[in-house]
Amino acid sequence: METADFVRTLDREGLLLAAAAEEAGVDAKVPTCPDWQVRDLLRHTGAVHRWAASFVAQAHTSPRPLGSGPDLDGPELLAWYRDSHRHLVDTLGGASPDVECWTFHPAPNPSPLAFWARRQAHETTVHRFDAESARGGTPTGIAAEFAVDGIDELLRGFHARPRSRVRTEEPRLLRVRATDAGADADAVWAVRLSAEPPVTTREESDGDADAELAGPAAQLYLALWNRLPVPDVTGDASLAALWREKSAIG
């Protein structure tokens, strides 16, 4: 996917998030994030939007603290979220393609701008799903191509960092398979677990694995972000349990 595609997705998903949050109300519980109400979701996501925009807009080349959302509530909080989202979309859409700024995980990206557009598109899509879970009803669908990209970013980006807690005492191989990635082939990842951070590669073969997590890309994407159950688990179910227990991004 191109940077402009991610920005368009970010734009759409943020609007959907705000609409679902407004319909649910700020007091509504968020079933996919049991400790949160919708107000917490808006404050968090809006703060992330402003934090991300600051790196691109101001070309910061070192990390900066995330900060927290404002002491607002109700319609004022919703308006602040919408403004935060619009500021991020406009910042990314108007930035120079060769802007140099800080990024925070090693997943392959052609540029810092591409990193932030990709990261915020996925951040917002997952939290849009959270907002729609608070509202109830049928959630908006996620395109298979985008979901496959998000699985790749999660496995080869977030969980390549030293802070990943998905580890095993002995080497194990966890395969992840999106079964609807294209007409001719699945999208498959080999996640090599050990006492060190996971090492993930894309693979084409069906070699032996200790366990496999599989399913349609959109469901698998949300499952790996711990929003839905994994559609299909084969092999050692303890590795699926390990993922649920240890994969949260801190």
Side-chain angles (χ1 to χ4, degrees):
M1 294 178 65
E2 300 293 329
T3 298
D5 298 322
F6 286 121
V7 174
R8 283 191 289 270
T9 298
L10 164 65
D11 192 2
R12 180 183 67 248
E13 295 291 325
L15 293 173
L16 289 170
L17 189 162
E22 184 172 31
E23 191 172 348
V26 296
D27 294 327
K29 295 288 188 181
V30 181
T32 48
C33 300
D35 294 335
W36 277 3
Q37 295 174 291
V38 166
R39 61 171 55 86
D40 302 304
L41 177 64
L42 290 171
R43 286 172 183 154
H44 167 78
T45 313
V48 170
H49 286 344
R50 290 177 181 265
W51 175 75
S54 72
F55 289 104
V56 176
Q58 300 172 42
H60 294 303
T61 56
S62 58
R64 297 168 64 85
L66 172 59
S68 58
D71 188 20
L72 298 172
D73 210 353
E76 292 80 13
L77 177 60
L78 189 63
W80 173 84
Y81 171 73
R82 286 186 164 120
D83 183 67
S84 302
H85 169 248
R86 180 51 44 200
H87 173 62
L88 175 61
V89 171
D90 290 347
T91 296
L92 295 176
S96 170
D98 59 0
V99 64
E100 292 294 332
C101 62
W102 179 76
T103 61
F104 65 86
H105 70 54
N109 288 286
S111 69
L113 179 61
F115 170 93
W116 283 110
R118 181 191 197 193
R119 175 81 290 278
Q120 288 303 294
H122 288 297
E123 174 89 12
T124 309
T125 298
V126 171
H127 287 318
R128 181 270 298 164
F129 185 82
D130 293 333
E132 291 183 344
S133 77
R135 180 201 63 194
T138 302
T140 305
I142 299 172
E145 178 187 11
F146 180 76
V148 165
D149 180 82
I151 294 168
D152 194 78
E153 189 217 22
L154 178 62
L155 297 179
R156 297 207 289 161
F158 279 102
H159 287 286
R161 300 187 300 169
R163 66 177 61 187
S164 176
R165 298 181 301 121
V166 183
R167 305 187 185 206
T168 54
E169 292 184 5
E170 299 295 331
R172 309 295 300 278
L173 177 59
L174 175 66
R175 178 175 293 115
V176 175
R177 183 189 302 274
T179 56
D180 62 343
D184 299 321
D186 298 341
V188 184
W189 296 261
V191 185
R192 290 172 173 83
L193 303 175
S194 70
E196 300 298 321
V199 176
T200 300
T201 55
R202 293 289 290 265
E203 65 171 28
E204 297 178 358
S205 67
D206 292 330
D208 292 338
D210 294 294
E212 179 171 295
L213 312 181
Q219 294 179 47
L220 191 59
Y221 171 67
L222 292 168
L224 292 171
W225 278 105
N226 293 315
R227 264 55 183 191
L228 292 176
V230 176
D232 184 52
V233 179
T234 55
D236 185 351
S238 72
L239 293 182
L242 174 71
W243 185 272
R244 287 194 301 272
E245 293 164 7
K246 300 296 186 180
S247 67
I249 302 300

